[in-house]
Amino acid sequence: MSSGRGRGRYLCPIDGFVVTLGQTGVQLDRPMRLIFRPGEFGRWKHVTEPGEVDAERLERVAGRVLGTGCVVSDCYDPDLNLDRPTDWKWQAGLVLVDAEEPGDPGTWLVNERLIYRQCAACASRIPDLPEHHVPDEWTPRRAWVTKGRGQYRRSQAPVDQGLHPAGSLACPECDPRAAADRR
């Protein structure tokens, strides 16, 4: 698959990060499950339980089958272990393994390609996800946006300070709900 502007970007179901197919993400060719593999961590420490981050990631997929065609971060590539040294199999961490009983394909977790749309206020491109839609009428948090790339092509442009309709898309910098999150 090709990747480029708005093509081939997915939300990894394991870690929740945006990945680009062929660059930072891989597509599964068979049904798989995410498990924690106990083993060595570092040089001398043996780990039997997942850490906080690994536990959160296991909870995100909650034992579900990641189906054929699901795109995940390349660090979870099940075929990655083929290129690693033989002692790598004793390393602790999250790994994808073949699902022995995958069950009904209708229940498999298969992510959709992300669609990017413009923020209603500043026109920056962001993924069209439910958490980016503001439920009430809103005004942007910022007044200016930097446009352009490169040292000499940058310019300041005003952000539309008007009242935007409920349910419209807002980037993290314009979203008025984020103001309460900042300290």
Side-chain angles (χ1 to χ4, degrees):
M1 290 210 158
S2 65
S3 60
R5 187 178 170 122
R7 290 193 192 105
R9 294 208 176 108
Y10 296 81
L11 197 62
C12 176
I14 299 169
D15 56 23
F17 295 129
V18 175
V19 296
T20 303
L21 183 60
Q23 293 178 359
T24 58
V26 295
Q27 193 169 36
L28 300 179
D29 59 357
R30 58 194 183 276
M32 310 211 71
R33 289 188 193 274
L34 183 70
I35 63 163
F36 175 77
R37 178 178 58 200
E40 302 300 318
F41 182 78
R43 198 165 184 156
W44 295 286
K45 185 176 180 183
H46 186 76
V47 179
T48 58
E49 295 293 321
E52 184 179 337
V53 173
D54 286 347
E56 288 172 5
R57 291 177 178 172
L58 281 168
E59 190 175 318
R60 278 182 68 97
V61 293
R64 292 183 63 191
V65 173
L66 301 173
T68 304
C70 185
V71 177
V72 297
S73 297
D74 59 2
C75 61
Y76 300 108
D77 186 352
D79 299 325
L80 192 63
N81 291 335
L82 300 176
D83 299 331
R84 297 223 168 124
T86 55
D87 62 345
W88 186 261
K89 64 183 175 183
W90 305 113
Q91 297 292 317
L94 297 177
V95 293
L96 284 171
V97 296
D98 292 328
E100 292 182 15
E101 295 182 27
D104 179 23
T107 62
W108 291 353
L109 185 59
V110 179
N111 47 3
E112 297 287 326
R113 189 181 80 186
L114 286 177
I115 296 177
Y116 280 73
R117 300 203 193 295
Q118 291 184 340
C119 170
C122 71
S124 64
R125 291 172 31 96
I126 56 173
D128 190 359
L129 298 171
E131 60 262 20
H132 291 282
H133 290 271
V134 180
D136 303 318
E137 287 187 335
W138 60 281
T139 56
R141 194 172 54 143
R142 64 179 174 170
W144 296 90
V145 63
T146 303
K147 297 249 181 197
R149 293 184 178 171
Q151 182 176 359
Y152 300 108
R153 294 186 183 151
R154 290 175 132 358
S155 63
Q156 294 287 324
V159 171
D160 180 5
Q161 290 295 309
L163 196 59
H164 297 283
S168 59
L169 200 61
C171 69
E173 288 80 23
C174 291
D175 193 339
R177 298 172 297 175
D181 295 342
R182 291 193 173 182
R183 293 186 174 114

